[in-house]
Amino acid sequence: MASHTLEQKAVKSMKQDLFDHPDFYAIDSLLTEEHKLIRSSIRDFVKKEISPYIEDWAQRAHFPYEIVKKFGDIGAFGPSIPTEYGGGGLDYISYGLIMQEIERGDSGMRSTASVQGSLVMYPIYKFGSEAQRKKYLPKLGSGEWLGCFGLTEPDHGSNPSGMVTNFRDMGDHYLLNGAKMWISNSPKADVAVVWAKNEEGRIHGLIVERGMEGFSTPETHGKWSLRASATGELVFDNVKVPKENLLPGKSGLGAPMMCLDSARYGIAWGAIGAAMDCYDSARRYAVERIQFGKPIASFQLVQKKLAEMLTEITKAQLLNWRLGTLMNEGKATTSQISLAKRNNIEIALDIAREARQIHGGMGITGEYPIMRHMANLESVITYEGTHDIHLLILGKEITGIQAFV
Ligand code: TGC
Ligand code: FAD
C-alpha cells in the first residue's frame, strides 16, 4: 500500500476507516457494557457518516448542515441532560466517549455537538424557566434546531467579564445591542444563548432567535482550522428580545463559566479522539511503508515516536476516566477540568506533529487525517480558554493568587 500512487491511496482512504482505539492499560475494563455500546455505536456512525466525506468538507470549507439532524438521531446532543428534556440521560463517561469518538472523526464535528449540548442545552436546562426548557430543549436535542453560544467579543476573548454587549429594560421587552465574534454554529443557528450586561453591568443569559429584527449572523471566512465547522459573528442592532427569553436561574460570569466547565470536560475527551486517530494512522503507515528495504516501523527513531504517542494517549485516557468519575460524583473542579483540557490538547498536537513526520510527504495531504487534525487542534487549544489561561487557572489553584491581571 505504501508504494501506491496518490490516486490509489485516495480511493482506499475514501473507502476504509479501519480505526480501532489503543487500550494499553485495559481501561475498557473500567467501562460498563453500556459505555462500550455507546462508544461503538458512535464509532460506527462516524465511520459511515463522517470519515468518507470529512476531507472533502474540510477542503471545501463546507459545514454539512444535514449532520445536525443525524447527530440528534444518535443522541449526540446533550447526552447528560435528562431524557424528558430531549437529552440522553447518560453519565459523564458516556458523554466523554461520545465527544472522543466524534472528534476522532473531526474536531469541527465535535464542536457542533459540544456547543449544542454543553453551551446551549445545558444553560437552558440549568438556568432556564420550565417554559424555556419545554420550548427549546426537545427541538435542540433532536437536531430540529441548531444553537450557538455567544460569549466572546471582538475586544473581549480571554477576559469575558469586560464584555460590552448590553441590554436595556424597555418595560415590555429588552433592547439588545452589541456583537459577538468567533461563534461556532452561528451562521446556521436557529437560537443563540447570548451573554450580555444589564444597566447595572450584571451579566445575564438571553435566548435570541433567528428572525428577530436587527439580529444577524455573518459568517467568518478564510479559516485554516475547523474548516468543516461554521463559525461566525452575532450582531445585535437594537434587537427587541421578549422578557420571557431571559434565563432567570443565574446571573454573573459564573453562569457562562459553569457551561464552559461542561464543554471543556468534553473537549478533554475529544482531543484524545484526534490523538488516537493520528496514532492509529501513523502505526499503520509505519508498518506498511518500505524504505531502505524495510518497513519504516523497524527503525528505532520511528518506534520511539510511536512509543511516546502511546504513552501520552494512555496517560490521557486515565486522566479522562478519573475526571469522568469525579464529574459523575459532582466533585470535579474547574481547575481539574483545566488540567485535563490543557494536557490533552497539548499532547494531541504533539502527537499530530509526530504522526505527520511518520507519514513523510503523504502526511501533508488530505489522504490521511493528520494535517486536518493538527490544524483543527490549533483552534481547540485556543477556544474554551486558551492554553495559557488554563495554566493560570491552575496557577491560581496552586498559589491562591490570581495572575490574570
Ligand atoms: P473570576 O473573578 O475568576 O470569576 C468571576 C465570577 O465567576 C465565578 N466563576 C465560576 N463560577 C462557576 N464555575 C466556574 N467555573 C467559575 N469560574 C468563575 C467566580 O466565582 C466569580 O463569581 P462572583 O459571584 O464572585 O462574581 O473571573 P475573571 O474575570 O478573573 O476571569 C477568570 C478567567 C480568565 C479564568 C475566565 O474569564 C476564563 O476562563 N476566560 C477564558 C474565556 C473562555 O474560556 N471563553 C470561552 C468562550 S466559548 C468558546 O470558546 C466555545 S468554543 C466551542 C466549540 O466550538 O467547541
Ligand atoms: P485573546 O484573549 O486576545 O488572547 C490572545 C493571547 O493572549 C493568547 O495567547 C492568550 O493566552 C494571551 N492572554 C490573554 N490574556 C492573558 C493573561 N491575562 N495572561 C497571559 N496571557 C494572556 N467563543 C464563544 O463565545 N463561542 C463560540 O462558540 C466560540 N467558538 C470559537 C470557534 C473558533 C474556531 C475559535 C478560534 C474561537 C471560538 N470562540 C468562541 C472564541 C474563543 O473562546 C476565544 O478565541 C478564546 O477565548 C481566546 O480569546 P481571543 O481569541 O480574543 O484571544
Side-chain angles (χ1 to χ4, degrees):
M1 193 273 267
S3 62
H4 287 177
T5 65
L6 203 70
E7 203 176 326
Q8 286 168 320
K9 282 172 194 290
V11 171
K12 184 160 187 179
S13 69
M14 290 284 287
K15 281 187 183 155
Q16 284 181 301
D17 174 355
L18 300 171
F19 174 79
D20 197 9
H21 66 283
D23 187 21
F24 199 61
Y25 266 39
I27 296 163
D28 275 7
S29 64
L30 300 170
L31 304 178
T32 64
E33 287 310 310
E34 189 187 30
H35 291 147
K36 288 185 250 184
L37 197 64
I38 290 165
R39 181 180 59 194
S40 90
S41 72
I42 303 291
R43 185 171 301 170
D44 290 347
F45 173 86
V46 168
K47 286 188 176 187
K48 184 163 168 271
E49 302 287 350
I50 295 180
S51 302
Y53 314 108
I54 186 63
E55 290 301 337
D56 176 55
W57 296 336
Q59 295 274 358
R60 289 193 288 120
H62 169 72
F63 171 61
Y65 181 73
E66 63 283 2
I67 203 82
V68 176
K69 187 74 188 65
K70 291 178 185 176
F71 274 153
D73 291 344
I74 58 159
F77 293 146
S80 42
I81 305 274
T83 49
E84 62 188 293
Y85 294 111
L90 299 170
D91 72 353
Y92 276 95
I93 302 259
S94 306
Y95 172 43
L97 288 166
I98 293 171
M99 295 302 117
Q100 173 187 293
E101 292 303 314
I102 296 177
E103 191 147 2
R104 204 279 300 174
D106 187 71
S107 304
M109 295 293 98
R110 196 268 308 133
S111 266
T112 301
S114 59
V115 166
Q116 180 97 334
S118 286
L119 298 180
V120 182
M121 293 176 71
Y122 176 87
I124 295 174
Y125 169 66
K126 204 77 185 168
F127 316 129
S129 65
E130 196 52 25
Q132 289 168 343
R133 289 169 158 193
K134 288 200 167 119
K135 177 174 177 187
Y136 296 104
L137 293 180
K139 286 198 165 76
L140 290 162
S142 68
E144 190 178 331
W145 283 354
L146 181 65
C148 67
F149 174 90
L151 181 66
T152 305
E153 299 188 353
D155 294 330
H156 301 94
S158 297
N159 178 26
S161 64
M163 71 174 66
V164 294
T165 297
N166 64 88
F167 63 99
R168 278 189 293 145
D169 189 337
M170 306 303 282
D172 63 341
H173 65 271
Y174 297 119
L175 203 62
L176 178 65
N177 278 289
K180 300 288 175 179
M181 192 179 178
W182 292 118
I183 307 305
S184 300
N185 297 352
S186 94
K188 298 282 183 189
D190 301 285
V191 292
V193 169
V194 176
W195 302 94
K197 284 179 177 167
N198 68 8
E199 287 99 325
E200 286 80 48
R202 184 85 182 155
I203 294 171
H204 287 265
L206 296 158
I207 305 171
V208 180
E209 296 186 23
R210 183 170 295 282
M212 288 180 176
E213 207 179 323
F215 174 43
S216 58
T217 60
E219 184 158 4
T220 301
H221 295 287
K223 290 178 300 170
W224 283 111
S225 171
L226 291 190
R227 288 172 61 79
S229 161
T231 313
E233 297 167 49
L234 301 174
V235 181
F236 314 105
D237 180 9
N238 285 319
V239 180
K240 283 185 183 174
V241 180
K243 284 202 149 172
E244 65 263 25
N245 283 29
L246 183 103
L247 296 177
K250 188 168 170 67
S251 64
L253 187 65
M257 295 310 291
M258 281 172 67
C259 308
L260 290 175
D261 279 351
S262 167
R264 290 166 176 175
Y265 166 76
I267 290 177
W269 283 81
I272 295 312
M276 291 194 299
D277 202 38
C278 293
Y279 166 75
D280 189 62
S281 182
R283 187 181 55 80
R284 287 176 206 283
Y285 191 85
V287 170
E288 291 177 5
R289 174 69 176 167
I290 309 292
Q291 286 296 286
F292 299 95
K294 298 180 195 167
I296 59 170
S298 62
F299 302 126
Q300 288 181 359
L301 291 175
V302 173
Q303 291 194 2
K304 176 175 186 286
K305 286 182 173 59
L306 292 169
E308 287 177 349
M309 286 181 197
L310 180 61
T311 304
E312 293 307 323
I313 287 169
T314 303
K315 281 151 67 177
Q317 286 172 320
L318 287 164
L319 200 57
N320 279 348
W321 179 83
R322 177 60 187 145
L323 186 62
T325 62
L326 290 171
M327 291 287 286
N328 283 342
E329 292 164 10
K331 291 182 186 160
T333 64
T334 296
S335 47
Q336 286 170 338
I337 295 168
S338 284
L339 187 153
K341 189 217 178 233
R342 186 170 186 278
N343 178 77
N344 294 2
I345 298 167
E346 181 171 36
I347 66 115
L349 257 172
D350 288 346
I351 287 169
R353 290 180 185 126
E354 293 293 281
R356 220 288 304 146
Q357 300 262 13
I358 288 178
H359 286 78
M362 289 307 295
I364 71 150
T365 72
E367 314 313 332
Y368 293 91
I370 315 299
M371 274 303 263
R372 179 171 48 78
H373 282 310
M374 195 193 305
N376 283 343
L377 288 163
E378 289 292 345
S379 285
V380 181
I381 202 167
T382 288
Y383 67 32
E384 305 257 9
T386 68
H387 200 55
D388 286 346
I389 288 295
H390 289 292
L391 179 137
L392 295 174
I393 290 172
L394 281 167
K396 181 179 171 187
E397 177 78 22
I398 295 163
T399 64
I401 303 166
Q402 75 112 312
F404 301 112
V405 286

Coordinates of all heavy atoms in Angstrom, one line a residue, residues 107 110-112 114-115 119 149 151-152 157-161 182 184 202 226 229 250 252-255 257-258 260-261 264 267 334 382-386 389-390 393 396 402 404, ligand 1:
S107 N -12.6 17.5 14.7 CA -12.8 18.4 15.8 C -14.0 19.4 15.5 O -14.7 19.8 16.4 CB -11.6 19.3 16.1 OG -10.5 18.5 16.4
R110 N -17.2 17.7 16.3 CA -17.3 17.7 17.8 C -17.8 19.0 18.3 O -18.6 19.1 19.2 CB -16.1 17.2 18.5 CG -16.3 16.7 19.9 CD -16.0 17.9 20.9 NE -14.7 18.5 20.7 CZ -14.5 19.8 20.6 NH1 -15.5 20.7 20.8 NH2 -13.3 20.3 20.3
S111 N -17.2 20.1 17.7 CA -17.6 21.4 18.1 C -19.1 21.6 17.9 O -19.8 22.1 18.8 CB -17.0 22.5 17.1 OG -15.8 23.0 17.7
T112 N -19.7 21.2 16.8 CA -21.1 21.3 16.6 C -21.9 20.6 17.7 O -22.8 21.2 18.3 CB -21.5 20.7 15.2 OG1 -20.8 21.3 14.2 CG2 -23.0 20.8 15.0
S114 N -20.7 19.7 20.8 CA -20.5 20.1 22.2 C -21.1 21.5 22.4 O -21.5 21.8 23.5 CB -19.0 20.0 22.6 OG -18.2 20.7 21.8
V115 N -21.1 22.3 21.4 CA -21.7 23.6 21.6 C -23.2 23.4 21.8 O -23.8 24.0 22.8 CB -21.5 24.6 20.4 CG1 -22.4 25.7 20.4 CG2 -20.1 25.0 20.3
L119 N -23.2 24.1 25.7 CA -23.3 25.5 25.7 C -24.6 26.1 25.4 O -24.9 27.3 25.6 CB -22.2 26.1 24.8 CG -20.7 25.7 25.2 CD1 -19.7 26.3 24.2 CD2 -20.4 26.1 26.6
F149 N -23.6 29.7 21.1 CA -23.3 30.3 22.4 C -22.4 31.6 22.2 O -21.3 31.5 21.7 CB -22.5 29.2 23.2 CG -22.0 29.6 24.5 CD1 -22.8 29.5 25.7 CD2 -20.7 30.1 24.7 CE1 -22.3 29.8 27.0 CE2 -20.2 30.4 26.0 CZ -21.0 30.2 27.1
L151 N -20.4 34.3 23.8 CA -19.7 34.9 25.0 C -18.6 35.9 24.5 O -18.5 37.0 24.9 CB -19.1 33.8 25.9 CG -18.4 34.3 27.1 CD1 -19.3 35.0 28.1 CD2 -17.7 33.2 27.9
T152 N -17.7 35.4 23.6 CA -16.6 36.1 23.1 C -17.0 37.3 22.3 O -17.9 37.2 21.4 CB -15.7 35.2 22.3 OG1 -15.4 34.0 23.0 CG2 -14.4 35.9 21.8
G157 N -11.9 38.4 24.7 CA -11.9 37.0 24.4 C -11.5 36.3 25.8 O -12.4 35.7 26.4
S158 N -10.3 36.3 26.2 CA -9.9 35.7 27.4 C -10.5 36.4 28.6 O -10.7 35.8 29.7 CB -8.4 35.7 27.6 OG -7.7 35.0 26.6
N159 N -10.9 37.6 28.4 CA -11.5 38.4 29.6 C -13.0 38.7 29.3 O -13.3 39.9 29.1 CB -10.7 39.7 29.7 CG -11.3 40.6 30.8 OD1 -11.9 40.1 31.8 ND2 -11.0 41.9 30.7
P160 N -13.8 37.7 29.4 CA -15.2 37.9 29.0 C -15.9 38.9 29.9 O -16.9 39.5 29.6 CB -15.9 36.5 29.1 CG -15.0 35.7 29.9 CD -13.6 36.3 29.7
S161 N -15.4 39.0 31.2 CA -16.1 39.9 32.1 C -16.1 41.4 31.6 O -16.9 42.2 32.1 CB -15.6 39.8 33.5 OG -14.3 40.2 33.6
W182 N -16.3 35.0 16.7 CA -15.8 33.6 16.8 C -16.9 32.6 17.3 O -16.5 31.8 18.2 CB -14.6 33.5 17.7 CG -13.4 34.2 17.2 CD1 -12.7 35.3 17.7 CD2 -12.6 33.9 16.0 NE1 -11.6 35.6 17.0 CE2 -11.6 34.8 15.9 CE3 -12.8 32.9 15.0 CZ2 -10.6 34.7 14.9 CZ3 -11.9 32.9 13.9 CH2 -10.8 33.8 13.9
S184 N -19.1 29.5 17.1 CA -19.3 28.2 16.4 C -20.8 28.0 16.1 O -21.6 28.3 17.0 CB -18.8 27.0 17.2 OG -17.4 27.1 17.5
R202 N -24.5 43.8 35.2 CA -24.6 42.4 35.6 C -24.8 41.5 34.4 O -25.6 41.8 33.6 CB -25.7 42.2 36.6 CG -25.9 40.8 37.2 CD -25.0 40.7 38.4 NE -25.1 39.3 38.9 CZ -24.2 38.7 39.7 NH1 -23.1 39.4 40.0 NH2 -24.3 37.5 40.1
L226 N -10.6 24.0 11.7 CA -12.1 23.8 11.8 C -12.8 24.2 10.6 O -13.9 24.8 10.7 CB -12.6 24.5 13.0 CG -12.2 24.1 14.4 CD1 -13.1 24.8 15.5 CD2 -12.3 22.6 14.6
S229 N -16.5 23.3 10.2 CA -17.4 23.8 11.2 C -17.8 25.3 10.8 O -16.9 26.0 10.3 CB -16.7 23.8 12.6 OG -17.3 24.7 13.5
K250 N -29.7 32.1 36.9 CA -28.4 32.5 37.4 C -27.9 33.7 36.6 O -28.1 33.7 35.4 CB -27.4 31.4 37.4 CG -26.1 31.7 38.1 CD -25.3 30.4 38.2 CE -23.8 30.7 38.7 NZ -23.7 31.2 40.0
G252 N -24.4 36.7 36.4 CA -23.0 36.9 36.7 C -22.1 36.0 35.8 O -22.7 35.1 35.2
L253 N -20.8 36.2 35.8 CA -19.9 35.4 34.9 C -19.9 34.0 35.3 O -19.7 33.1 34.4 CB -18.5 36.0 35.0 CG -17.5 35.4 34.0 CD1 -17.9 35.8 32.6 CD2 -16.1 35.9 34.3
G254 N -20.3 33.6 36.5 CA -20.3 32.2 36.9 C -21.2 31.4 36.1 O -21.0 30.2 35.9
A255 N -22.3 32.0 35.5 CA -23.3 31.2 34.7 C -22.6 30.7 33.4 O -22.6 29.5 33.2 CB -24.5 32.0 34.4
M257 N -19.5 30.5 32.9 CA -18.3 29.6 33.3 C -18.8 28.2 33.6 O -18.0 27.3 33.4 CB -17.6 30.3 34.5 CG -16.9 31.6 34.2 SD -15.9 31.7 32.7 CE -14.6 30.6 33.2
M258 N -19.9 28.1 34.2 CA -20.4 26.7 34.5 C -20.6 25.9 33.2 O -20.4 24.7 33.1 CB -21.7 26.8 35.3 CG -21.5 27.0 36.8 SD -23.0 27.3 37.7 CE -23.8 25.7 37.6
L260 N -19.0 26.4 30.5 CA -17.7 26.1 30.0 C -17.0 24.9 30.7 O -16.3 24.1 30.1 CB -16.8 27.3 30.1 CG -17.1 28.5 29.1 CD1 -16.3 29.7 29.4 CD2 -17.0 28.1 27.7
D261 N -17.3 24.8 32.0 CA -16.8 23.6 32.7 C -17.2 22.3 32.0 O -16.5 21.4 31.7 CB -17.3 23.5 34.1 CG -16.5 24.4 35.1 OD1 -15.5 24.9 34.6 OD2 -17.0 24.6 36.2
R264 N -15.6 22.2 28.4 CA -14.1 21.9 28.4 C -13.9 20.4 28.8 O -12.9 19.8 28.3 CB -13.5 22.8 29.5 CG -13.4 24.3 29.1 CD -13.1 25.2 30.2 NE -13.0 26.6 29.8 CZ -12.8 27.6 30.7 NH1 -12.7 27.3 32.0 NH2 -12.7 28.8 30.3
I267 N -14.2 18.5 25.7 CA -13.0 18.7 24.8 C -11.8 17.9 25.3 O -11.0 17.4 24.5 CB -12.7 20.2 24.8 CG1 -13.8 20.9 24.0 CG2 -11.3 20.5 24.1 CD1 -13.6 22.4 24.0
T334 N -13.2 23.2 38.5 CA -12.8 23.9 37.3 C -11.4 23.7 37.0 O -11.0 23.4 35.9 CB -13.1 25.4 37.5 OG1 -14.5 25.5 37.7 CG2 -12.6 26.2 36.3
T382 N -7.1 27.0 21.6 CA -7.4 28.4 21.9 C -8.8 28.6 22.4 O -9.0 29.5 23.3 CB -7.2 29.2 20.6 OG1 -5.8 29.3 20.3 CG2 -7.7 30.6 20.7
Y383 N -9.8 27.9 21.9 CA -11.1 28.2 22.3 C -11.4 27.5 23.7 O -10.7 26.7 24.1 CB -12.2 27.9 21.3 CG -12.5 26.6 20.7 CD1 -12.4 25.4 21.5 CD2 -13.0 26.4 19.4 CE1 -12.8 24.2 21.0 CE2 -13.3 25.2 18.9 CZ -13.2 24.1 19.7 OH -13.6 22.9 19.2
E384 N -12.5 27.9 24.3 CA -12.9 27.5 25.6 C -11.8 27.8 26.6 O -11.6 27.0 27.6 CB -13.1 26.0 25.6 CG -14.2 25.6 24.6 CD -15.5 25.3 25.2 OE1 -15.7 25.5 26.4 OE2 -16.4 24.8 24.4
G385 N -11.1 28.9 26.4 CA -10.0 29.2 27.3 C -8.7 28.8 26.7 O -8.5 27.6 26.3
T386 N -7.8 29.8 26.5 CA -6.5 29.4 25.8 C -5.7 28.5 26.7 O -5.9 28.4 27.9 CB -5.7 30.7 25.4 OG1 -5.2 31.3 26.6 CG2 -6.5 31.7 24.6
I389 N -4.4 30.5 29.6 CA -5.5 30.8 30.6 C -5.7 29.6 31.5 O -5.8 29.7 32.7 CB -6.8 31.3 29.9 CG1 -6.6 32.7 29.3 CG2 -8.0 31.2 30.8 CD1 -6.4 33.8 30.3
H390 N -5.7 28.4 30.9 CA -5.8 27.2 31.8 C -4.6 27.0 32.7 O -4.8 26.6 33.8 CB -6.1 26.0 30.9 CG -7.5 26.0 30.3 ND1 -8.6 25.9 31.1 CD2 -7.9 26.2 29.1 CE1 -9.7 26.1 30.3 NE2 -9.3 26.3 29.1
I393 N -5.3 29.4 35.5 CA -6.4 28.8 36.4 C -5.7 27.8 37.4 O -6.0 27.8 38.6 CB -7.5 28.2 35.6 CG1 -8.3 29.3 34.8 CG2 -8.4 27.3 36.5 CD1 -9.4 28.7 33.8
K396 N -3.6 29.7 39.9 CA -4.4 30.3 41.0 C -4.8 29.3 42.0 O -4.7 29.5 43.2 CB -5.6 31.0 40.3 CG -6.5 31.7 41.3 CD -7.7 32.3 40.6 CE -8.8 32.8 41.6 NZ -10.0 33.2 41.0
Q402 N -4.3 35.1 42.0 CA -4.6 35.1 40.5 C -3.7 36.0 39.8 O -3.4 37.1 40.2 CB -6.1 35.4 40.4 CG -6.5 36.8 40.6 CD -7.0 37.4 39.2 OE1 -6.3 37.2 38.2 NE2 -8.1 38.1 39.2
F404 N -4.1 36.8 36.4 CA -4.7 37.2 35.1 C -4.5 38.7 34.8 O -4.4 39.1 33.7 CB -6.2 37.0 35.1 CG -6.6 35.5 35.4 CD1 -7.3 35.2 36.5 CD2 -6.3 34.5 34.4 CE1 -7.6 33.9 36.8 CE2 -6.7 33.2 34.7 CZ -7.3 32.9 35.8
Ligands
TGC1 P1 -13.2 35.4 38.3 O1 -13.1 36.6 39.1 O2 -12.3 34.3 38.4 O3 -14.8 34.9 38.4 C1 -15.9 35.8 38.2 C2 -17.1 35.2 38.8 O4 -17.4 33.9 38.1 C3 -17.3 32.8 39.0 N1 -16.7 31.7 38.3 C4 -17.3 30.5 38.3 N2 -18.4 30.0 38.7 C5 -18.8 28.8 38.5 N3 -18.0 27.9 37.8 C6 -16.8 28.4 37.3 N4 -16.0 27.6 36.5 C7 -16.4 29.7 37.5 N5 -15.3 30.5 37.2 C8 -15.5 31.7 37.7 C9 -16.5 33.3 40.2 O5 -16.8 32.6 41.3 C10 -16.9 34.8 40.2 O6 -18.2 34.8 40.8 P2 -18.7 36.0 41.8 O7 -20.0 35.7 42.3 O8 -17.6 36.1 42.9 O9 -18.6 37.2 40.9 O10 -13.3 35.9 36.7 P3 -12.2 36.7 35.9 O11 -12.9 37.8 35.2 O12 -11.0 37.0 36.7 O13 -11.9 35.6 34.7 C11 -11.4 34.4 35.0 C12 -10.9 33.6 33.7 C13 -9.9 34.4 33.0 C14 -10.4 32.3 34.2 C15 -12.1 33.4 32.9 O14 -12.7 34.5 32.5 C16 -11.8 32.5 31.7 O15 -11.9 31.3 31.8 N6 -11.5 33.1 30.5 C17 -11.5 32.3 29.3 C18 -12.7 32.6 28.4 C19 -13.2 31.4 27.7 O16 -13.0 30.3 28.1 N7 -14.1 31.7 26.7 C20 -14.7 30.6 26.0 C21 -15.8 31.2 25.1 S1 -16.8 29.9 24.5 C22 -15.9 29.0 23.4 O17 -14.8 29.2 23.2 C23 -16.7 28.0 22.7 S2 -15.8 27.1 21.5 C24 -16.8 25.8 21.4 C25 -16.6 24.8 20.3 O18 -16.6 25.2 19.2 O19 -16.4 23.6 20.7

